[in-house]
Amino acid sequence: MRLPDVVVVGGGVIGCAVASELISRGVTVRLLERAALCSGASGANGSLIWPQAMKRSLSLELTLANFRLFPTLGEELGVDLAYRRSGGMVAIATDEQWDEMRRYVDGQQAVGLPAELLDVTEARRREPALNPAIRGAVFAPYGGSVNPFRLTLGYARAARAGGAELLPGTEILGLVRRGDRIVGVRTPAGEQHAGLVVLAAGSWSTSVAATADVRIPVVPRQGMMVVTEPAPFRLRHVLKPIKSDRDPWAFSQPWPAESPGTPGYDPNLPPGKGMGISQTEAGNLLVGSTSRFVGLDRMPTPDGIRYIVEHTASVVPAVRTLRVLRTWAGLRPYVPDGLPLLGPAPGVDGLVLATGHDGSGVNLAPVSAKIVADVVTGAKSDVAPQLSIASFDPRRFEGA
Ligand SMILES: Cc1cc2nc3c(=O)[nH]c(=O)nc-3n(C[C@H](O)[C@H](O)[C@H](O)COP(=O)(O)OP(=O)(O)OC[C@H]3O[C@@H](n4cnc5c(N)ncnc54)[C@H](O)[C@@H]3O)c2cc1C
């Protein structure tokens, strides 16, 4: 098969990972980014890798396939990714939650994943910063964190070293469509034609696709984050409170099946449930985040920040005593059925989508890049042989 020359739209973790993977397979790549590389959600997230949050599902399969790629990735990219497989803990507040979490642990073990239920004494022995008032914790050993800037820029560097052209500061004004085919992109400097366009524009993917009358169901889901001053202690794990009293299984992202374009999060969930706490190498705590559908608004609010601090302080009380250095809000590219869009766009040729990773794009970048490169090159890599590419095919929403 003759490999197409590819234009990638978007220089977040997904666009850069796709560019790097395509280059490694001999494809000619040009990546166009409106602002700076890593200036979207990829530079605004919680840095968590949390593969053990879900029941047996496609999302879990995808996350686990990906999890196998991380330990060697830094070496492959020639970058210290600050990848820490620290394990994660979910703090349990009540007896009711304890019973639910016992079922969660049994469920994890039934699908071959290790997990432990710890009483408060054991939980605090392992993680002294935990609140003594909690009932206990679940320990999930596959949790961890990575530096998302180093991951994104590491992919960018590898792509550039392989011969990709990376052009930050280049806005795509629209896709160029001839009949049923996308033949390139329109920039302020004119049209750039390509054999194939890969759309990795995160929360902006829907509006870019719409310029060529291609309808895709990506909706921005805003989340705020808080960074504290360096803490005078080191966390040994990444930490989370339980997300919902009604469905504690959903302590990471809920995955509701809703119609495209309709944000499907449980309206009864408080806006900030689903928190996470991680620590940077320098000791700062990275805490967040909230969940709101407010279009492309990237402004944090005092209420949201307060909510984050109060909620995470119920897990690590010291959060309340640390000074806040910085806050921001970022936009997760949310898709109603909870699975990313990886593959041919609906209704046109010449356009491949690599978007819709919602709150897991850092986590899922390595495996997503391989799936997209498989689609572009027509080859099947062995990274996730058990995963069917068809499950992520954006055409599943066609006509919806
Ligand atoms: C608060 C928050 C917390 C999160 N926590 C985690 C976490 O702990 N773990 C995890 O795995 N994930 C997390 N995520 C999700 C993760 O950050 C995203 O899934 C991921 O970054 C998406 O990457 P992307 O490359 O698709 O999008 P983005 O990083 O948003 O990149 C898209 C890029 O496209 C560019 N672009 C847009 N339009 C155009 C145009 N017209 N022309 C040219 N360029 C364009 C943008 O400038 C942007 O740089 C979190 C997200 C948020 C907001």
Side-chain angles (χ1 to χ4, degrees), residues 10 12-14 33-34 41-42 45-48 172 330 358-363:
V13 70
I14 302 298
E33 159 60 48
R34 168 176 66 190
S42 304
N45 57 72
S47 81
L48 297 181
I172 301 309
D358 192 38
S360 305
V362 174
N363 210 337

Side-chain angles (χ1 to χ4, degrees), residues 205-227:
S205 299
T206 300
S207 53
V208 175
T211 61
D213 288 330
V214 177
R215 183 170 172 255
I216 60 172
V218 177
V219 184
R221 182 166 74 91
Q222 194 216 55
M224 300 176 214
M225 294 290 309
V226 170
V227 184

Side-chain angles (χ1 to χ4, degrees), residues 131 228 306 309-314 316-323:
N131 189 345
T228 72
R306 204 170 302 118
V309 172
E310 273 166 20
H311 241 76
T312 48
S314 69
V316 174
V319 167
R320 213 188 292 279
T321 63
L322 295 168
R323 283 177 295 184

